[in-house]
Amino acid sequence: MWNPARLTFRSRKVPPVLSCFLAQKAADTVTLIPVRKDGLDAWLETAPAATAAWVRSVGFTAEPGATALLPSADGQLDRVLVGVGETLDLWSFAGLPTTLPAGAKGAGASYALDDSLTPEQATAAATGWALASYRFTRYRKATKDLPRLVLPAGADAAAVDSMARAVYLVRDLINTPAEDMGPADLAATAKELGAEFGAEVSVIVGDDLLAANYPTVHAVGRAADKKPHFIDLTWGDAANPLVCLVGKGVCFDSGGLDIKAAGGMLLMKKDMGGAAHVLGLARLVMAAKLPVRLRVLVPAVENAISGNAFRPMDIITTRKGLTVEIGNTDAEGRLILCDALAEADSAKPALILDFATLTGAARIALGTDLPALFANDDQLADDILAAAKETGDPLWRMPLWQGYAKQLDSKIADLNNAPGGGYGGAITAALYLERFVTKGTPWAHIDLMAWNASAKPGRPEGGEAMGLRAAFAMLSRRYPAQA
């Protein structure tokens, strides 16, 4: 179960996600012993005198994430004390794969948690270990082996596998440079997922977008050599509730004619992070066989500059029929999303959830680690936030403050895509998107960074899944899989 078929990205093989686990202990497997700070003295009292003296001598105080390596009588690594917090969660052991001794080259060390974990804790610990074992090796081989963990007793191997694969997929897509992750590559990934799970995938490309009435997607993407794509994946019984996922797929954002400064472009390969998230979430939903009719819409473009690039003060008629004046070509994400949201809304879904690396304003308000959640439905927002708290996958609700809606006004069109003034930018962007969702259709919008600016246990620097576990937990509660 923990050695599934390999995934492919442009024919490059990706190692099985759960190769970081062993099915059973080996003779030299080292036991990991979690110890809370307030329980260390009690543990030391029961330990042999020499062991207790060693732990004290190395200054181990059971701070969360700290370790003390305990040798055996013959000088081999025997056990490891691991400092943990009051509760054991996803990240309690996630710092270990990159800090514990990995063993001799080619052999590798193996570790096992003691038998004190509940099934829920065991599943969380294994998931954290798997996420911490991620490495992006498409362009450079790993320089060292990582240790492996014996899959803890009681852990749900299928759940660990599914979540790790989804997060790996999100990270890989975001980390891949735009030259190798353009609109066609996102479409290829969606087709691979469709083939794996029996979903239907259709793709509209280039000028065909005009004939299909996706004018804003075409306008934003038409200047690039890599043609814009509109990706549409559907899965599940049509009799089940329709859940629509929409992801911003700007594979690179130059800013268009309102060009970004060089520093502002450095992370723009991640501007398709919303698309990566909905593909990862779709993988989770399909693997769990949730009883929904799933539809995933990804407008995929590169916002480039050429003689036919869309211009400031142009007016575009959207799929919904609303006209939009272009206040800034660097506010392109909401333009491609509005056509996708209008299409999602037209099918009268049970809910719409979109992910987008949409605004710097959300990062200014909440920082890089905390995605902003907007919703037009309080129950949907409450359900997502409850799932976020339970899974330790944080989100923070921000208001769809209607007092700012007037900022979207244009003198010559129905809307302006980039209000002036510079204030409340995340809110006005969300209010813009709200105009393309029918009142009464539950809709939530997650404005996220999709990137770890620095490494944390289990979360290496680079592309990151944010809000993914929370969204899946919410969907799993609303639409529980049948036994």
Side-chain angles (χ1 to χ4, degrees):
M1 183 168 266
W2 43 87
N3 188 25
R6 294 169 181 261
L7 294 173
T8 59
F9 289 91
R10 270 194 172 180
S11 300
R12 293 181 63 92
K13 295 295 184 181
V14 178
V17 171
L18 294 189
S19 62
C20 56
F21 294 108
L22 293 172
Q24 57 189 10
K25 294 181 181 179
D28 58 351
T29 295
V30 176
T31 300
L32 303 172
I33 305 171
V35 182
R36 293 196 303 268
K37 192 169 186 177
D38 60 5
L40 179 60
D41 287 342
W43 189 91
L44 292 174
E45 288 177 4
T46 64
T51 299
W54 172 263
V55 172
R56 292 189 178 99
S57 72
V58 299
F60 179 75
T61 60
E63 291 289 340
T67 58
L69 308 183
L70 306 182
S72 62
D74 61 357
Q76 301 297 313
L77 180 58
D78 181 48
R79 291 171 293 166
V80 179
L81 296 185
V82 181
V84 295
E86 289 299 313
T87 58
L88 296 180
D89 61 19
L90 188 72
W91 310 119
S92 293
F93 306 101
L96 301 181
T98 55
T99 58
L100 288 175
K105 184 71 175 177
S110 66
Y111 295 86
L113 288 160
D114 65 13
D115 296 330
S116 62
L117 304 186
T118 67
E120 183 179 47
Q121 291 171 337
T123 299
T127 303
W129 187 282
L131 300 187
S133 299
Y134 170 85
R135 289 180 290 185
F136 184 58
T137 57
R138 177 164 180 169
Y139 304 99
R140 186 178 71 174
K141 292 182 179 179
T143 56
K144 68 174 185 177
D145 292 331
L146 293 180
R148 293 186 291 175
L149 180 71
V150 176
L151 195 70
D156 185 337
V160 175
D161 175 79
S162 185
M163 182 57 69
R165 282 186 175 279
V167 173
Y168 275 39
L169 175 63
V170 173
R171 290 174 176 176
D172 276 346
L173 291 175
I174 296 171
N175 284 329
T176 303
E179 180 63 23
D180 293 325
M181 191 49 62
D185 301 286
L186 279 178
T189 301
K191 289 178 179 178
E192 289 180 8
L193 278 177
E196 183 177 355
F197 293 101
E200 297 178 5
V201 181
S202 63
V203 182
I204 306 170
V205 182
D207 289 344
D208 289 345
L209 289 163
L210 292 175
N213 192 26
Y214 291 101
T216 57
V217 181
H218 181 271
V220 174
R222 73 192 184 201
D225 285 340
K226 296 183 176 182
K227 294 179 180 180
H229 287 53
F230 190 86
I231 303 159
D232 188 342
L233 178 150
T234 56
W235 171 90
D237 190 334
N240 289 332
L242 176 62
V243 171
C244 288
L245 308 179
V246 177
K248 175 186 171 185
V250 178
C251 296
F252 190 83
D253 183 16
S254 70
L257 291 175
D258 288 311
I259 191 169
K260 294 178 183 288
M265 289 193 213
L266 283 178
L267 288 182
M268 284 302 99
K269 71 175 184 179
K270 78 172 184 65
D271 212 18
M272 38 60 67
H277 276 72
V278 296
L279 291 173
L281 184 53
R283 168 174 255 289
L284 286 166
V285 169
M286 292 187 292
K289 298 181 180 178
L290 298 188
V292 299
R293 175 66 167 174
L294 179 68
R295 191 177 187 197
V296 181
L297 302 177
V298 174
V301 302
E302 183 173 339
N303 188 20
I305 299 172
S306 71
N308 69 335
F310 76 118
R311 296 165 291 266
M313 300 190 78
D314 279 353
I315 294 179
I316 304 171
T317 301
T318 66
R319 182 177 184 82
K320 188 171 182 177
L322 295 174
T323 55
V324 177
E325 182 181 11
I326 306 304
N328 192 308
T329 62
D330 197 21
E332 83 299 329
R334 64 201 71 179
L335 292 174
I336 65 170
L337 286 172
C338 73
D339 274 0
L341 286 171
E343 172 58 19
D345 181 69
S346 69
K348 302 187 184 305
L351 68 88
I352 302 173
L353 177 60
D354 81 68
F355 286 80
T357 53
L358 201 63
T359 67
R363 310 288 75 77
I364 292 170
L366 300 177
T368 59
D369 296 345
L370 186 57
L373 170 69
F374 295 87
N376 66 355
D377 182 273
D378 288 341
Q379 188 59 60
L380 177 58
D382 289 347
D383 289 350
I384 295 173
L385 291 174
K389 183 176 181 179
E390 182 175 328
T391 59
D393 193 14
L395 296 163
W396 192 268
R397 189 178 185 186
M398 293 182 68
L400 286 165
W401 182 248
Q402 297 301 319
Y404 295 158
K406 190 169 179 58
Q407 295 181 33
L408 297 171
D409 288 350
S410 165
K411 294 180 180 179
I412 56 174
D414 295 316
L415 294 165
N416 189 300
N417 79 316
Y423 297 110
I427 297 174
T428 55
L431 289 170
Y432 175 93
L433 296 180
E434 187 187 27
R435 292 289 297 271
F436 296 86
V437 178
T438 302
K439 189 174 182 179
T441 299
W443 162 71
H445 158 61
I446 296 176
D447 186 339
L448 73 165
M449 179 71 170
W451 188 268
N452 292 322
S454 59
K456 307 175 189 67
R459 291 149 288 183
E461 182 178 345
E464 185 57 280
M466 297 177 170
L468 181 75
R469 292 181 290 109
F472 178 62
M474 178 274 293
L475 291 174
S476 297
R477 283 194 183 83
R478 285 198 165 204
Y479 311 106
Q482 298 173 356

